[in-house]
Amino acid sequence: MEQISCLNFCDIMNYLNQEEETIEAIIKNTAKKAGFEHVERIYIGSYFCAQYFLHMDNILFDDIVTQAKNMKIQVTLVIPVIPQKDLNTVLQKIQGYSEYFEDCLDEITVNDYGMLAYIHENYDVRLNMGRLFMKDYRDPRYPAYFKTVLKPKIFTKYLIRLIEQYQIDGMEFDLTHVSINFENKPKGILIGVHTPFCYMTVGQICEYASINKQIEKKFRPNQPCAKECQETIIRYDMQDGREWIRVGRAIYFDNKECEIEGISRYRAIYFPVEWEGFINEDISSTK
């Protein structure tokens, strides 16, 4: 099976500012930890947080895209679900990135139908359906679901119409089960698989963003923040032999044993959140 090696810097990109290494060194060291001989694509942006996407460091964004171009690596921009109050600002931010679209940034991943239609109508780039489109059960604490071979339920006739209407090129999945069979995937669609962590759930309320707020202003959905999530990760001890972590608003569990079936080629999208430089003494542990 052919594996296309990719790195996912989404939701943790700002952490790179804290490293003394160059962007090139970070890419090479992360690829080495992932077991990749080379990297073909980097994902930047956010899957889960509009506030993170809105406040991405444009200088760092430019540095990563420039270095990726120098290293002959393609780049995918990832856009999360955007609340209505932030929509116009996000669309302006996307427009600001459009100068890169004819260069190495040749692809956008979206996570809701409204943005799917907007990008298709306004930009000439490859288009992916992100992991939030995939609604399959995802919780290893329920073995009746987890210890089965998943055949993604999104593979329907309705999906075929969507692909034709919006000219979708790829779809992204998480390692939600012990095995996933993609034999029913639509023709021409390139599958991307996130590894080694599967996101289990994501909410609209960020507990990190509430840390410095007065009690009556805590736990409000989609509120502006100071990106407190970039300074720490919450780890959960579930006593099941797995790593459970919270990065921003999303909770993940590791699943390194999942088998991929039914396809001969796919993207492995590695999330380097377990990188030694990222998980450090600032982590909180919950038992």
Side-chain angles (χ1 to χ4, degrees):
M1 184 181 299
E2 180 186 356
Q3 177 179 285
I4 303 169
S5 301
C6 308
L7 299 180
N8 175 16
F9 289 148
C10 293
D11 298 295
I12 61 171
M13 190 177 76
N14 294 78
Y15 175 77
L16 302 180
N17 268 334
Q18 303 173 29
E19 292 294 319
E20 296 181 359
E21 296 177 294
T22 64
I23 298 298
E24 180 182 11
I26 289 171
I27 292 171
K28 289 181 177 179
N29 290 339
T30 307
K32 182 178 179 180
K33 186 168 183 63
F36 298 157
E37 294 185 2
H38 62 281
V39 175
E40 298 190 28
R41 182 170 295 273
I42 294 173
Y43 291 69
I44 55 178
S46 176
Y47 283 95
F48 303 112
C49 184
Q51 294 304 314
Y52 178 97
F53 187 88
L54 274 170
H55 298 102
M56 280 195 300
D57 187 323
N58 289 335
I59 295 176
L60 180 58
F61 181 97
D62 183 72
D63 288 346
I64 293 176
V65 173
T66 299
Q67 188 58 55
K69 179 181 178 181
N70 292 339
M71 298 175 71
K72 295 181 170 48
I73 298 172
Q74 299 301 114
V75 177
T76 298
L77 177 66
V78 180
I79 305 173
V81 177
I82 307 298
Q84 189 65 37
K85 69 181 183 66
D86 296 320
L87 182 58
N88 289 336
T89 308
V90 167
L91 297 184
Q92 292 174 10
K93 195 169 185 75
I94 296 171
Q95 177 61 37
Y97 292 145
S98 63
E99 63 184 270
Y100 299 97
F101 290 170
E102 293 183 0
D103 209 333
C104 66
L105 201 162
D106 64 338
E107 183 177 271
I108 294 179
T109 289
V110 299
N111 286 279
D112 68 279
Y113 291 100
M115 193 60 69
L116 181 68
Y118 176 81
I119 296 299
H120 169 69
E121 293 167 2
N122 290 277
Y123 297 104
D124 183 20
V125 293
R126 289 174 52 87
L127 189 55
N128 297 329
M129 295 178 71
R131 61 211 301 193
L132 289 181
F133 280 101
M134 315 311 160
K135 307 300 184 183
D136 300 287
Y137 296 112
R138 49 185 70 225
D139 193 333
R141 296 172 298 176
Y142 293 88
Y145 294 115
F146 183 73
K147 293 184 177 180
T148 59
V149 178
L150 172 69
K151 291 189 175 182
K153 57 187 175 184
I154 195 172
F155 294 159
T156 63
K157 293 181 179 179
Y158 177 69
L159 175 65
I160 301 298
R161 293 200 295 270
L162 278 178
I163 291 171
E164 294 174 350
Q165 180 178 359
Y166 297 113
Q167 299 177 1
I168 297 166
D169 297 285
M171 301 176 68
E172 299 177 22
F173 293 82
D174 282 89
L175 302 175
T176 54
H177 292 64
V178 296
S179 181
I180 306 178
N181 189 312
F182 290 107
E183 64 182 2
N184 294 327
K185 79 170 184 68
K187 184 178 180 181
I189 289 294
L190 179 60
I191 297 295
V193 179
H194 290 270
T195 180
F197 286 92
C198 169
Y199 106 84
M200 189 183 76
T201 187
V202 61
Q204 294 300 311
I205 294 174
C206 177
E207 74 180 273
Y208 296 103
S210 295
I211 292 173
N212 298 314
K213 290 185 171 59
Q214 296 178 351
I215 187 67
E216 65 273 12
K217 295 183 179 179
K218 290 182 182 290
F219 309 119
R220 305 292 178 85
N222 297 307
Q223 289 299 301
C225 65
K227 293 184 290 192
E228 290 86 354
C229 62
Q230 297 300 288
E231 300 177 2
T232 187
I233 296 173
I234 295 176
R235 302 178 74 174
Y236 302 95
D237 183 1
M238 304 297 289
Q239 300 183 356
D240 62 354
R242 294 185 182 277
E243 279 194 84
W244 293 74
I245 59 175
R246 180 175 184 136
V247 182
R249 301 191 314 191
I251 294 176
Y252 304 77
F253 62 87
D254 78 285
N255 184 11
K256 300 180 178 69
E257 299 80 29
C258 181
E259 295 184 2
I260 305 299
E261 305 174 359
I263 50 176
S264 59
R265 181 173 179 264
Y266 73 100
R267 287 181 182 173
I269 308 170
Y270 180 80
F271 188 39
V273 73
E274 58 181 353
W275 189 9
E276 292 177 3
F278 192 83
I279 293 186
N280 54 36
E281 67 273 12
D282 293 328
I283 293 175
S284 302
S285 178
T286 303
K287 296 186 178 181

